[in-house]
Amino acid sequence: MNEQQQTLWQFMQQQAGKLQEQTLQHIGLTFISLCIAVLVGLPLGILIVRKKQLSGIVLGIAGVLQTIPSIALLGFMIPLLGIGPKPAIVALLLYALLPIIRNTYTGILGVDAAVKEAAVAMGMSKWQILFKVELPLAMPVIFAGIRTATVINVGVATLASLIAAGGLGEFIFGGISLNNTNMILAGAIPSALLAVIFDLLLSMVQKVSFKKLKRVVYAFPVLLIVLCLFYIIPAKSEGKLTAGFTPEFMGRQDGDLGLRSKYGLKIHTIVISDAVMYKAAFEKHLDVISGYSTDGRLKAYDLVVLDDDKHIFPPYYAAPIVRDDVLKKFPDLEPTLNLLSGKINDSVMTVLNYRTDYLHQSPERVAKDFLVANKLWRPERGGNDGIVRIGSKIFGEQYILANMYSMLIKGYTDHEVSTKTGLGGTKICFDALTNNQIDFYPEYTGTGLLAILQASPEIINEVTVNKDSTYNYVQRQFESKYQIKWLKPIGFNNAYALMMRQQQARKLGIKTISNLKQFLDKK
Amino acid sequence: MIKVDKVSKYFGGVKAVDGVSFEVEEQENLILLGTSGCGKTTTLKMINRLIEPTQGCIYIHGKNIMEQQPEILRRGIGYVLQNNGLFPHYTVAQNIAVVPNLLKWDKQKTEKRTAELMEKLHLDASYLNIYPNELSGGQQQRIGLARALVSDPPVLLMDEPFGALDNVTRSKIHAEFKALDELKRKTIIMVTHDVQEAFELGDRICLMDKGKIVQSGTPAQLLFNPVNDFVKDFLKHQRLQLEFKAIKLIDLWELLPELNKEAKASSFDAGTNLWEALESFKFNNGETINISKDQNQVKTVSFEQLMTAFYQYKNHQAHE
């Protein structure tokens, strides 16, 4: 335990610069959007007090915005506003609106009727009543709304890293992808602390007495603006090209680190979620992205993979990994799962992915079509000899594979199947497997080597020379370390790859990563 | 001074106030009396346009109030609410200064006037810098009164001003209210459901029911010449006390025996009501009080003599 804390501390010290930058970005994002939300929400709240017939519509719309899942809302923003801080701020602003509008509304309505009547009876005008009586008396409630909005924003702002707006989410999502607990905590602890600290500060403001209210009312906007300035909007690219890498790619030896050390590649980089990365490349917000070589969107968005001429990306051959005790319990499982072995190569997998990711066909249909075409499909036996639990990570390819395995098990054995698809990342999937929450899931040799086994650089160099040596190494290690067996590889190699728009790559004459470096160095 | 002419107010289909007319003389104290929901508060609030009438006109100083800008109209009318309506975020001084600030008085004038009122209302000057919630109910109500009086408006509207106070505090404030010279110069319309209060403070009373005025007149007129059973029933409770409050010493003047002035007795003006005079007796043997009329005529009477005169007066009223 002590050692664990030590290493977290070390990690944070080592990454102090990055941590500080992300924290400042996080605070900035939170408060820029909060500022705008106050500027929009307060007048709207006042408006609907005056015109009550509008209150239903306004509160309704703000309420619906609140229910949109944050990642989806960020997704909606991309076609409109591109990537980076703009869509992130707008999305955060939309989340912050409801508490501010609602609390302004209820706060003003909640002012004692006798006090309001006295104000009218003494001959105050509408605006005098608003500024001298209603707003000051509603202030504690309005501050409570701002407080809620702040805490929501600190939380949602972690997702801003997924659309290249920075913030502590970079560590959190990078850490989840990389199975790096220290990295997750280095992002999660500061963001939790921020939430707690801001909540505490605002609760103090909320409880301030009328005597000091005036001072607070003047000091608060100043403080907000100062906090906004923390967000130094990431400098626009100085070179010609902008790269968008996933948080996972950023932290990996076979990712950005390798690109820097082996190729010496220096490119303006922003961190972005793979959910929006391809589209951003297609729409020319990004020029170079870190994708997967079998991704369907490669085909959909007319992207081309740059040749990895110095071999920094290790092979990522997919194969189901199963706990040994499961294989013992269901002896017919191994041959059934191996039915798929060698059946899907890179181009087949890209087409299958294209059908789900771009044509939006259901993974189930794509899986069944494939099995039928390859004469592997059999009708369900409807047996009830125990349940096999299949896991999958949260992207299309894994959904398709999980569906294929589910159909095969139902067709070839008497077992029932339950699927737990969409497990957030390698760490979550692997933990679910070792903790007996699922029985198997499709994993990639490279991921096993780097993210799970966290092999040393020497070993990586040694075993990544070809796909078989990698496979053999992870198979041996998993068996001895975790009692988990790698079954036969399915066939395709879903390795990391750098990709560009086909048209741009052709125009610039870039075919390999070395070409890219040369092009960048010229500038 | 104030003329309310066939004023009605409908809320949807409900006639809250239905064709009410009355006039209030300069410096008169008119009470709108009735049970809750009778329309008395609605009537009051139409006079400073907190509520706009559906029909009818209201004139103050002969001017139709509907032709004036409401904010300007209200700044010239004092208003006291039941729950005082003090601004909780303003200090006592700031609360009192609201109307002067709207009228753009200079600071010194406001401060001087505030100090004057604080003294008249027996409020300590140290209260000026504290907040209303640090004061007792009675003190808050006095501040509310000070706020209404600060700009010395000729008209004062009071909506159940003492309704939220306990009995002891209320009778204390009643006494102060009657003694306050500021108020003697004002035309006051006060709403209350408390018959005793109406009899104690009102020069005239409008008894309302279901949005209409049932009877209006002096307390004695209502008591001894009720127009119908409703009025009679309304005044049935604690009737003897009401009679004592309705009858003034001047009413009994002719019935009291001529007696020379006797020293060392408490003195009352003939305008005082009988209740107050009777309450002053301490029931010592042969105790008397002096009643003075027009500053030169004085009669010295005992408790028994006052009571005898009272019975004679009542008999007389009954046979009229």
Side-chain angles (χ1 to χ4, degrees), chain A residues 112-126 128 132-133 136-137 210-214, chain B residues 45 48 50 71 74-75 77 79 81 83-90 95 98-99 102 131 134 147 159:
Chain A
D112 183 359
V115 171
K116 262 191 251 186
E117 189 180 281
V120 178
M122 274 184 289
M124 285 186 157
S125 70
K126 253 188 179 179
Q128 284 169 330
K132 292 185 180 211
V133 180
L137 289 177
F210 288 128
K211 246 174 254 183
K212 294 178 195 143
L213 187 70
K214 231 179 198 165
Chain B
K45 287 181 180 175
N48 64 355
L50 288 177
E71 285 83 12
R74 290 174 192 139
R75 286 172 203 170
I77 300 176
Y79 187 68
L81 299 82
N83 294 315
N84 70 63
L86 293 174
F87 298 166
H89 59 305
Y90 277 21
N95 263 292
V98 169
V99 178
L102 291 174
Y131 287 83
E134 298 169 59
R147 182 174 65 172
D159 183 11

